């Protein structure tokens, strides 16, 4: 039979209320009493029914995190940072993968709402302003992750992707590249559109430089390979001399395809730069230049904003600046 709070109270010669205070509000109890109750808990092997406690409180000790693609190491790092910061506040992060599917995203938000989580961190597929407003009426705070908020009453943590796109292409232009191919569809995500806007602004600064879009159906390695194959099939005089991929997964796919074909050299014929600076970038057969986002810090800061909002703080929009990481895929030959 499971040991109850009453059993602990009897063993420690205190009231049930005192045991409850020791478990939930120990600062209200004399230190010697706290020690006596904990000794009784250890001796009896008592395990608290946390689910029942959360039900009575009307709020769980969990935070929901919805990401676009859990296979992308960038989001894995964001989740790692969020979990680390949440653990410091005795909270658990429940990770959900929307797979860039609005219906799946909505289903997870329904689930988190039913579980009465403390709050939700979300990288949305599209516009979720109405859904965030609904969560708020249920007492659930939401924070946008890797996406700036257009609403002053919603906190967000993001990176200046326009600046990141500009940084990437300015680097390619400084290396003497003039025919830039942007691999990725701006309709896939706001982040991709912002990176393209930054790339275009950089190209506009240099006479004779051009940029073209090589659209992809997803932000994946396979789509990067397919995009590269289309480039390889062109007449050499029609090929770009540099590729700026919307993320590192696409960049890795482009790099793999070019290396496997062997007739197009990286970076001599085509330089490649990605975005995110995932761990695999440095370990590629030709180490990949990339635009680094502080992925784990994004997750940590998102949890901090959520906790602050729960305590009544004014919503805040945090924007980090990206960083250029130069490796062999864009270095000047020789």
């Amino acid at each position: 039979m499971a040991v109850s709070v009453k059993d602990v109270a009897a063993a420690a010669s205190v009231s049930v209320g005192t045991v409850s205070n020791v478990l939930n509000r120990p600062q209200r109890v004399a230190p010697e009493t706290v020690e006596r109750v904990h000794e009784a808990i250890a001796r009896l092997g008592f395990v608290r029914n946390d689910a029942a406690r959360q039900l009575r409180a009307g709020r769980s000790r969990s935070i929901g995190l919805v990401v676009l693609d859990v296979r992308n190491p960038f989001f894995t790092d964001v989740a790692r940072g969020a979990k680390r910061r949440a653990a410091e506040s005795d909270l658990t992060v429940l990770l959900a993968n929307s797979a860039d599917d609005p219906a799946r995203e909505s289903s997870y938000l329904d689930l988190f709402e039913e579980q009465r989580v403390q709050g939700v961190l979300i990288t949305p597929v599209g516009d979720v302003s109405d859904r965030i407003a609904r969560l708020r009426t249920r007492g659930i705070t939401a924070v946008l992750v890797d996406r700036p908020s257009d609403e002053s009453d919603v906190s967000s943590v993001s990176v200046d992707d326009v600046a990141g796109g500009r940084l990437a292409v300015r680097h390619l232009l400084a290396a003497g590249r003039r025919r830039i191919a942007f691999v990725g569809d701006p309709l896939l995500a706001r982040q991709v559109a912002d990176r393209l806007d930054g790339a275009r602004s950089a190209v506009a600064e240099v006479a004779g430089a051009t940029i073209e879009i090589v659209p992809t159906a997803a932000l994946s390695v396979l789509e990067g390979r397919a995009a590269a194959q289309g480039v390889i099939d062109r007449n050499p005089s029609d090929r770009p001399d540099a590729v700026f991929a919307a993320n590192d997964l696409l960049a890795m796919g482009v790099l793999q395809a070019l290396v496997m074909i062997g007739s197009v050299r990286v970076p001599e014929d085509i330089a490649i730069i990605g975005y995110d600076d995932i761990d695999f970038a440095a370990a590629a057969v030709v180490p990949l230049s990339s635009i680094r986002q502080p992925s784990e810090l994004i997750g940590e800061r998102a949890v901090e904003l959520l906790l602050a909002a729960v305590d009544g703080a004014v919503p805040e929009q945090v924007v980090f600046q990206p960083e250029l990481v130069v490796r062999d895929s864009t270095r000047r030959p020789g």
Side-chain angles (χ1 to χ4, degrees):
M1 181 178 296
V3 177
S4 69
V5 173
K6 290 182 179 180
D7 296 327
V8 174
S13 300
V14 298
S15 68
V16 170
T18 297
V19 175
S20 178
N21 280 335
V22 169
L23 293 173
N24 301 295
R25 296 169 292 277
Q27 68 278 7
R28 297 184 179 181
V29 184
E32 59 272 15
T33 303
V34 171
E35 183 178 355
R36 193 163 71 249
V37 169
H38 279 303
E39 287 176 352
I41 287 172
R43 186 167 67 253
L44 297 176
F46 169 76
V47 177
R48 68 190 299 172
N49 186 341
D50 202 49
R53 179 179 65 85
Q54 292 174 15
L55 185 61
R56 289 191 298 272
R59 182 67 53 83
S60 77
R61 299 294 298 171
S62 300
I63 294 173
L65 171 59
V66 186
V67 301
L68 291 177
D69 184 2
V70 76
R71 298 170 301 178
N72 187 333
F74 166 74
F75 288 114
T76 303
D77 289 344
V78 169
R80 183 181 296 112
K83 288 183 176 182
R84 180 168 56 245
R85 178 60 185 86
E88 294 174 2
S89 297
D90 194 28
L91 294 170
T92 300
V93 174
L94 306 176
L95 179 60
N97 178 31
S98 71
D100 212 17
D101 180 352
R104 190 169 179 177
E105 174 186 83
S106 181
S107 177
Y108 279 122
L109 291 176
D110 286 342
L111 178 61
F112 290 148
E113 186 177 324
E114 292 168 3
Q115 293 182 339
R116 291 180 283 188
V117 294
Q118 285 243 355
V120 173
L121 312 177
I122 179 171
T123 303
V125 176
D127 182 10
V128 291
S129 54
D130 289 344
R131 190 58 192 268
I132 288 176
R134 172 178 153 180
L135 289 170
R136 190 182 297 119
T137 65
R138 305 289 197 274
I140 299 174
T141 300
V143 173
L144 297 184
V145 179
D146 192 38
R147 175 80 65 84
S149 174
D150 295 325
E151 309 291 336
S152 61
D153 59 348
V154 178
S155 292
S156 65
V157 185
S158 62
V159 170
D160 188 341
D161 284 314
V162 175
R166 188 182 301 116
L167 194 61
V169 173
R170 279 179 174 171
H171 169 63
L172 295 174
L173 295 170
R177 311 294 171 157
R178 292 295 180 268
R179 301 186 308 279
I180 314 298
F182 179 83
V183 175
D185 193 328
L187 297 179
L188 289 174
R190 176 172 171 174
Q191 296 92 321
V192 177
D194 286 348
R195 293 165 195 176
L196 176 58
D197 285 346
R200 282 172 165 161
S201 71
V203 167
E205 297 170 351
V206 177
T210 61
I211 186 168
E212 64 170 306
I213 299 175
V214 180
T216 62
L219 303 174
S220 66
V221 173
L222 290 179
E223 285 294 318
R225 288 184 185 176
Q229 187 60 57
V231 169
I232 293 167
D233 290 343
R234 299 183 191 179
N235 186 292
S237 62
D238 294 331
R239 293 171 183 163
D241 59 10
V243 167
F244 170 33
N247 75 356
D248 280 348
L249 296 183
L250 286 171
M252 293 290 288
V254 172
L255 178 61
Q256 288 176 7
L258 296 184
V259 170
M260 285 189 293
I261 294 298
S263 59
V264 179
R265 300 167 300 166
V266 178
E268 289 84 355
D269 300 318
I270 298 179
I272 305 172
I273 188 168
Y275 205 106
D276 291 338
D277 195 34
I278 61 177
D279 288 343
F280 296 126
V285 60
V286 178
L288 180 68
S289 294
S290 188
I291 300 299
R292 176 177 294 162
Q293 301 194 79
S295 49
E296 292 193 24
L297 185 57
I298 289 172
E300 292 178 6
R301 194 73 180 94
V303 172
E304 290 172 357
L305 289 183
L306 190 149
L307 295 176
V310 169
D311 288 338
V314 175
E316 183 179 352
Q317 283 74 48
V318 175
V319 181
F320 290 108
Q321 290 302 308
E323 176 187 354
L324 172 65
V325 179
V326 179
R327 299 190 179 96
D328 291 350
S329 69
T330 60
R331 295 190 196 279
R332 287 179 180 272

